[in-house]
Amino acid sequence: MIGIRRVLAALVAAVAVGGGAVGFLPSPAYAATTLCTTTLRYGDSGSCVSKLQTRLNELGLDCGNKLTVDGSFGRLTRMRVYAFQGRFRLAVDGVVGPNTRSALASATDGMGVICDSTVADHIRAIWPDGSQEKAIRVARCESGLNPIAVGGPNTNGTLDFGVFQFNDGGTLQEYLPGSTRAAKVDAALTADDNIRAALRLYQARGWQPWSCRDA
Protein backbone atom coordinates (compact mmCIF):
# COMPACT_ATOMS: atom_id res chain seq x y z
CA MET A 1 0.00 0.00 0.00
CA ILE A 2 1.29 3.49 -0.84
CA GLY A 3 2.18 5.53 2.25
CA ILE A 4 0.41 8.84 2.93
CA ARG A 5 3.66 10.77 2.64
CA ARG A 6 4.21 9.43 -0.86
CA VAL A 7 0.66 10.39 -1.86
CA LEU A 8 1.09 13.92 -0.50
CA ALA A 9 4.42 14.26 -2.27
CA ALA A 10 2.81 13.24 -5.55
CA LEU A 11 0.03 15.80 -5.08
CA VAL A 12 2.53 18.53 -4.32
CA ALA A 13 4.47 17.65 -7.45
CA ALA A 14 1.26 17.69 -9.50
CA VAL A 15 0.43 21.18 -8.25
CA ALA A 16 3.90 22.39 -9.12
CA VAL A 17 3.64 21.01 -12.63
CA GLY A 18 0.04 22.05 -13.25
CA GLY A 19 0.41 25.69 -12.22
CA GLY A 20 -1.79 25.36 -9.16
CA ALA A 21 -4.41 22.87 -10.34
CA VAL A 22 -4.17 19.52 -8.64
CA GLY A 23 -3.77 16.70 -11.13
CA PHE A 24 -2.25 13.25 -11.32
CA LEU A 25 1.18 12.61 -12.70
CA PRO A 26 1.57 9.60 -14.99
CA SER A 27 3.14 6.57 -13.40
CA PRO A 28 6.80 6.30 -14.43
CA ALA A 29 6.06 2.79 -15.68
CA TYR A 30 3.68 4.22 -18.28
CA ALA A 31 5.40 7.52 -19.04
CA ALA A 32 5.49 8.09 -22.78
CA THR A 33 8.46 9.34 -24.72
CA THR A 34 7.71 12.88 -25.87
CA LEU A 35 7.77 13.14 -29.64
CA CYS A 36 9.12 16.05 -31.65
CA THR A 37 6.63 18.29 -33.41
CA THR A 38 8.52 17.79 -36.67
CA THR A 39 6.80 15.78 -39.41
CA LEU A 40 8.79 12.59 -39.99
CA ARG A 41 8.90 10.33 -43.03
CA TYR A 42 10.93 7.62 -44.73
CA GLY A 43 14.55 8.68 -45.22
CA ASP A 44 14.67 11.08 -42.26
CA SER A 45 17.25 10.69 -39.52
CA GLY A 46 18.20 12.18 -36.18
CA SER A 47 17.08 12.36 -32.57
CA CYS A 48 13.42 12.91 -33.46
CA VAL A 49 13.38 9.61 -35.34
CA SER A 50 14.99 7.94 -32.31
CA LYS A 51 12.16 9.24 -30.13
CA LEU A 52 9.62 7.91 -32.62
CA GLN A 53 11.26 4.47 -32.61
CA THR A 54 11.34 4.46 -28.81
CA ARG A 55 7.65 5.37 -28.66
CA LEU A 56 6.72 2.62 -31.11
CA ASN A 57 8.62 0.15 -28.94
CA GLU A 58 6.84 1.45 -25.80
CA LEU A 59 3.51 0.66 -27.40
CA GLY A 60 4.51 -2.96 -27.88
CA LEU A 61 4.28 -3.14 -31.64
CA ASP A 62 7.20 -5.55 -31.62
CA CYS A 63 6.06 -8.85 -30.09
CA GLY A 64 9.56 -9.33 -28.76
CA ASN A 65 11.30 -7.95 -31.85
CA LYS A 66 11.89 -4.32 -31.02
CA LEU A 67 12.90 -1.71 -33.53
CA THR A 68 16.54 -0.74 -33.33
CA VAL A 69 16.64 2.81 -31.99
CA ASP A 70 19.20 4.12 -34.45
CA GLY A 71 17.64 7.40 -35.54
CA SER A 72 17.17 6.16 -39.11
CA PHE A 73 13.64 6.15 -40.57
CA GLY A 74 14.12 3.09 -42.73
CA ARG A 75 11.93 0.31 -44.05
CA LEU A 76 11.20 -1.38 -40.70
CA THR A 77 10.32 1.89 -38.98
CA ARG A 78 8.00 2.80 -41.84
CA MET A 79 6.37 -0.63 -41.62
CA ARG A 80 5.65 -0.05 -37.93
CA VAL A 81 4.23 3.39 -38.65
CA TYR A 82 2.00 1.90 -41.36
CA ALA A 83 0.84 -0.77 -38.90
CA PHE A 84 0.16 1.74 -36.13
CA GLN A 85 -1.82 3.94 -38.51
CA GLY A 86 -3.79 0.95 -39.76
CA ARG A 87 -4.70 -0.34 -36.30
CA PHE A 88 -5.74 3.15 -35.16
CA ARG A 89 -7.70 3.72 -38.40
CA LEU A 90 -5.65 6.67 -39.56
CA ALA A 91 -4.56 7.46 -43.10
CA VAL A 92 -1.92 4.83 -43.87
CA ASP A 93 0.74 6.95 -45.52
CA GLY A 94 3.81 6.17 -43.39
CA VAL A 95 4.19 9.85 -42.51
CA VAL A 96 4.21 10.90 -38.86
CA GLY A 97 2.30 14.17 -39.10
CA PRO A 98 -0.03 15.86 -36.59
CA ASN A 99 -2.74 13.16 -36.56
CA THR A 100 -0.39 10.20 -36.22
CA ARG A 101 1.77 12.07 -33.70
CA SER A 102 -1.30 12.85 -31.58
CA ALA A 103 -2.43 9.21 -31.68
CA LEU A 104 1.05 8.01 -30.72
CA ALA A 105 1.18 10.45 -27.82
CA SER A 106 -2.25 9.55 -26.44
CA ALA A 107 -2.24 5.78 -26.99
CA THR A 108 -2.26 3.77 -23.78
CA ASP A 109 -2.48 0.30 -25.31
CA GLY A 110 -0.51 -1.58 -27.90
CA MET A 111 -2.06 -2.90 -31.05
CA GLY A 112 -3.63 -5.96 -29.47
CA VAL A 113 -2.15 -8.48 -31.87
CA ILE A 114 -1.02 -12.04 -31.34
CA CYS A 115 2.68 -12.60 -31.75
CA ASP A 116 4.41 -14.32 -34.62
CA SER A 117 5.16 -17.44 -32.59
CA THR A 118 1.47 -18.28 -32.16
CA VAL A 119 0.19 -17.34 -35.64
CA ALA A 120 0.79 -20.85 -37.01
CA ASP A 121 -1.38 -22.31 -34.21
CA HIS A 122 -4.18 -19.90 -35.13
CA ILE A 123 -3.97 -20.93 -38.79
CA ARG A 124 -4.26 -24.57 -37.77
CA ALA A 125 -7.31 -23.73 -35.63
CA ILE A 126 -9.09 -21.81 -38.41
CA TRP A 127 -8.16 -23.59 -41.64
CA PRO A 128 -9.52 -27.09 -42.38
CA ASP A 129 -7.46 -30.26 -42.27
CA GLY A 130 -5.44 -30.90 -45.39
CA SER A 131 -4.69 -27.25 -46.18
CA GLN A 132 -3.26 -26.05 -42.89
CA GLU A 133 0.44 -26.73 -43.42
CA LYS A 134 0.40 -25.30 -46.93
CA ALA A 135 -1.36 -22.20 -45.58
CA ILE A 136 1.33 -21.82 -42.90
CA ARG A 137 4.07 -22.08 -45.53
CA VAL A 138 2.38 -19.48 -47.72
CA ALA A 139 1.86 -17.11 -44.79
CA ARG A 140 5.43 -17.58 -43.61
CA CYS A 141 6.70 -16.73 -47.09
CA GLU A 142 4.34 -13.75 -47.45
CA SER A 143 4.82 -12.08 -44.07
CA GLY A 144 7.11 -14.16 -41.88
CA LEU A 145 3.93 -14.98 -39.90
CA ASN A 146 3.97 -11.38 -38.71
CA PRO A 147 0.40 -10.12 -38.08
CA ILE A 148 1.45 -6.47 -38.40
CA ALA A 149 3.62 -6.87 -41.49
CA VAL A 150 3.00 -4.20 -44.11
CA GLY A 151 4.59 -4.72 -47.51
CA GLY A 152 5.19 -2.08 -50.14
CA PRO A 153 4.65 0.43 -51.44
CA ASN A 154 4.30 -1.67 -54.58
CA THR A 155 5.03 -0.26 -58.03
CA ASN A 156 1.37 0.80 -58.30
CA GLY A 157 1.46 2.50 -54.90
CA THR A 158 -0.55 -0.17 -53.07
CA LEU A 159 0.30 -1.81 -49.74
CA ASP A 160 -0.06 -5.38 -48.47
CA PHE A 161 -1.31 -6.03 -44.94
CA GLY A 162 -1.02 -8.71 -42.31
CA VAL A 163 -0.37 -12.43 -42.12
CA PHE A 164 -1.53 -13.26 -45.66
CA GLN A 165 -0.64 -9.82 -47.12
CA PHE A 166 -3.98 -8.57 -48.38
CA ASN A 167 -3.50 -5.91 -51.04
CA ASP A 168 -5.41 -2.66 -50.59
CA GLY A 169 -5.83 -2.39 -54.34
CA GLY A 170 -7.84 -5.59 -54.68
CA THR A 171 -8.24 -8.50 -52.24
CA LEU A 172 -8.55 -6.21 -49.19
CA GLN A 173 -11.91 -4.81 -50.25
CA GLU A 174 -13.68 -8.04 -51.10
CA TYR A 175 -12.69 -10.51 -48.44
CA LEU A 176 -12.07 -8.62 -45.20
CA PRO A 177 -14.82 -7.43 -42.82
CA GLY A 178 -15.68 -3.77 -42.41
CA SER A 179 -17.67 -1.13 -44.27
CA THR A 180 -14.80 1.34 -44.77
CA ARG A 181 -11.25 1.07 -46.02
CA ALA A 182 -9.95 2.01 -42.57
CA ALA A 183 -11.95 -0.80 -40.97
CA LYS A 184 -10.71 -3.31 -43.54
CA VAL A 185 -7.07 -2.33 -43.01
CA ASP A 186 -7.58 -2.67 -39.26
CA ALA A 187 -9.05 -6.14 -39.82
CA ALA A 188 -6.18 -7.09 -42.13
CA LEU A 189 -3.76 -6.27 -39.31
CA THR A 190 -5.76 -8.38 -36.84
CA ALA A 191 -4.42 -11.92 -37.17
CA ASP A 192 -7.63 -13.95 -36.87
CA ASP A 193 -9.63 -11.66 -39.19
CA ASN A 194 -6.81 -11.90 -41.73
CA ILE A 195 -6.56 -15.68 -41.44
CA ARG A 196 -10.33 -16.16 -41.85
CA ALA A 197 -10.40 -13.83 -44.84
CA ALA A 198 -7.51 -15.74 -46.39
CA LEU A 199 -9.47 -18.96 -46.05
CA ARG A 200 -12.44 -17.35 -47.84
CA LEU A 201 -10.12 -16.11 -50.57
CA TYR A 202 -8.56 -19.57 -50.93
CA GLN A 203 -11.97 -21.23 -51.12
CA ALA A 204 -12.97 -18.83 -53.89
CA ARG A 205 -9.75 -18.65 -55.91
CA GLY A 206 -7.31 -21.29 -54.70
CA TRP A 207 -3.66 -20.33 -54.15
CA GLN A 208 -3.46 -18.17 -57.28
CA PRO A 209 -3.77 -14.74 -55.53
CA TRP A 210 -0.56 -15.20 -53.51
CA SER A 211 2.95 -14.51 -54.77
CA CYS A 212 4.08 -17.35 -52.48
CA ARG A 213 1.54 -19.82 -53.87
CA ASP A 214 4.29 -22.38 -54.58
CA ALA A 215 5.68 -22.31 -51.03
Side-chain angles (χ1 to χ4, degrees):
M1 183 176 293
I2 299 174
I4 186 66
R5 281 191 232 174
R6 192 178 301 176
V7 172
L8 290 173
L11 289 173
V12 169
V15 170
V17 171
V22 176
F24 293 97
L25 295 176
S27 166
Y30 299 99
T33 296
T34 302
L35 300 173
C36 298
T37 58
T38 308
T39 295
L40 299 173
R41 52 175 50 85
Y42 183 75
D44 286 344
S45 60
S47 61
C48 289
V49 175
S50 294
K51 290 179 180 180
L52 168 64
Q53 293 167 328
T54 300
R55 181 61 179 145
L56 290 170
N57 284 338
E58 286 172 352
L59 291 170
L61 307 189
D62 52 85
C63 278
N65 182 22
K66 290 182 178 296
L67 289 170
T68 300
V69 180
D70 59 4
S72 178
F73 199 135
R75 182 182 62 84
L76 292 178
T77 299
R78 181 171 62 179
M79 186 182 80
R80 296 295 175 88
V81 172
Y82 282 146
F84 177 85
Q85 290 171 328
R87 288 309 313 272
F88 281 77
R89 303 195 177 189
L90 301 166
V92 182
D93 58 9
V95 177
V96 183
N99 291 338
T100 298
R101 189 165 57 245
S102 176
L104 282 164
S106 61
T108 57
D109 298 315
M111 297 201 312
V113 297
I114 63 173
C115 292
D116 311 10
S117 59
T118 61
V119 169
D121 291 336
H122 283 244
I123 292 174
R124 290 188 183 96
I126 292 170
W127 280 59
D129 292 343
S131 59
Q132 297 165 336
E133 297 310 312
K134 169 79 171 183
I136 291 168
R137 292 196 302 273
V138 169
R140 191 185 304 278
C141 175
E142 291 282 338
S143 70
L145 298 180
N146 181 355
I148 58 170
V150 182
N154 301 309
T155 55
N156 61 359
T158 60
L159 296 170
D160 304 307
F161 295 92
V163 175
F164 281 94
Q165 291 289 277
F166 277 85
N167 182 266
D168 65 355
T171 50
L172 183 85
Q173 288 86 342
E174 186 173 355
Y175 292 95
L176 280 147
S179 59
T180 64
R181 181 184 183 279
K184 288 178 180 294
V185 169
D186 185 5
L189 292 166
T190 303
D192 283 2
D193 284 344
N194 187 296
I195 293 167
R196 291 189 181 96
L199 175 58
R200 290 192 291 271
L201 175 58
Y202 165 73
Q203 290 169 335
R205 297 170 56 185
W207 296 112
Q208 184 277 330
W210 285 281
S211 299
C212 292
R213 53 186 168 270
D214 296 326

